[in-house]
Amino acid sequence: MNRKPLEETEEITEEVDYVNGPVCTVKKMAAPPDHRFRFFTQSFPLIAVCWLILLVIMGLRIHFTSVISENNAKLTAEIQDLKTQNQELESQMNNWKELNASRAQWSIDLYCPMIKNKRVCQHCQEGWEYNEPSCYAINNARPSDRKTWEEAREDCRGKNADFAVVHNQDEKDIISRYTWRAVGFWIGLRVEDGKWRWIDGSDLTETSWIEAPTDGHCAISNAYRRWTSVSCDDRQEWICKKNALSF
C-alpha cells in the first residue's frame, strides 16, 4: 500500500528529466568564404565567354542588318532604273513600229500607186529609171541647184538611196546613157588614201575608166563615156541608185 506513491514519484521525476533534457537542433552550415571565392573564380571565365558570345552575336546582327538594308536600298534603286529603262524601250519600240508601219505604207504608195481604184505596182517609184536590178534617179539640176559631192550624196541618202556604184562595163554604159549631156554627174567614186575607191569600200579595178587619182578629187560621168576627175567641191548634177522592187 505504501510503495505505490513512491513509484509514482519516480515516474514524475523521469518525465521532468526528459522534458528538461537537451534539445537537438539542426543548424544551417554556411559555406566558408574561401569556398565562395573559389566558386566565383571558377565560374567567371564561363560567364565572360557567354557575354563575349552574346556581344559578338549582337554585333553581327547589327552589321548584317545594316548590310541587308543597304543592299535592299540598292536593289530597289536598280529595280526602279530597270523599270524606267524598260518603259523607255517600250516607248522606243512603239515609235519604231509606228515608223516602220509608216515607211511600209509610204513604200507601198510609192511603188504601188492607186490607179483607177486599183494598186498597180512597178519596179521603181515615179521619177526613177529602171534597169534590172536597180533604179536610178538622174538629178538634172539647174546651175544654181547643183551640189558638191558630199551635198549630192546627202540628197541621195534622203531618198533611201546612195550614189551609183559601177563594177562592170554594162552598168558603166547604162550610167553613160543617162549622162548624155555635156555636164558631169557625180557617181560614188572618189580618191581615198591615194586610190580611187567606191563608196562601198571597194577599190576601182578598171584604171582605164578614169585618169590617175588626185587627192581631194571625185569622179563625174559625162557625155563622152569617160569619167572625169574633178574637185569634190565643184558643183555638179548627180545620180542616185537603189535596188528595184522585185515581184
Side-chain angles (χ1 to χ4, degrees), residues 194-232:
K195 297 180 181 179
W196 284 110
R197 185 165 294 163
W198 294 104
I199 56 174
D200 64 2
S202 60
D203 293 335
L204 176 67
T205 56
E206 297 293 338
T207 56
S208 61
W209 288 357
I210 194 170
E211 60 201 81
T214 301
D215 289 340
H217 275 214
C218 296
I220 58 173
S221 177
N222 52 41
Y224 304 108
R225 294 182 178 270
R226 187 173 186 274
W227 295 340
T228 304
S229 173
V230 298
S231 171
C232 297

Side-chain angles (χ1 to χ4, degrees), residues 123-189:
H123 294 287
C124 301
Q125 64 196 75
E126 185 177 356
W128 291 67
E129 301 290 336
Y130 173 61
N131 269 280
E132 189 178 3
S134 303
C135 297
Y136 299 89
I138 315 304
N139 296 275
N140 296 306
R142 296 176 299 178
S144 60
D145 295 331
R146 293 173 185 173
K147 300 180 182 298
T148 66
W149 191 90
E150 288 287 354
E151 292 171 346
R153 190 180 184 190
E154 285 301 315
D155 177 80
C156 290
R157 287 174 170 174
K159 299 173 180 176
N160 293 320
D162 209 333
F163 276 145
V165 174
V166 181
H167 289 303
N168 56 65
Q169 184 64 46
D170 291 339
E171 188 167 17
K172 184 176 184 297
D173 292 340
I174 291 172
I175 297 296
S176 296
R177 288 199 300 270
Y178 290 144
T179 57
W180 56 270
R181 296 169 60 188
V183 297
F185 289 79
W186 292 124
I187 57 176
L189 183 66

Side-chain angles (χ1 to χ4, degrees), residues 11-64:
E11 290 177 359
I12 293 171
T13 304
E14 290 177 358
E15 290 177 2
V16 173
D17 293 338
Y18 174 79
V19 172
N20 296 328
V23 179
C24 294
T25 58
V26 177
K27 296 183 179 179
K28 294 182 179 181
M29 301 296 292
D34 58 339
H35 288 182
R36 290 199 301 269
F37 179 76
R38 186 180 306 165
F39 173 78
F40 178 77
T41 55
Q42 291 176 350
S43 304
F44 179 78
L46 180 61
I47 296 173
V49 169
C50 293
W51 274 103
L52 181 61
I53 293 174
L54 180 61
L55 291 174
V56 170
I57 293 173
M58 292 178 65
L60 290 174
R61 181 178 179 182
I62 294 171
H63 171 72
F64 285 113

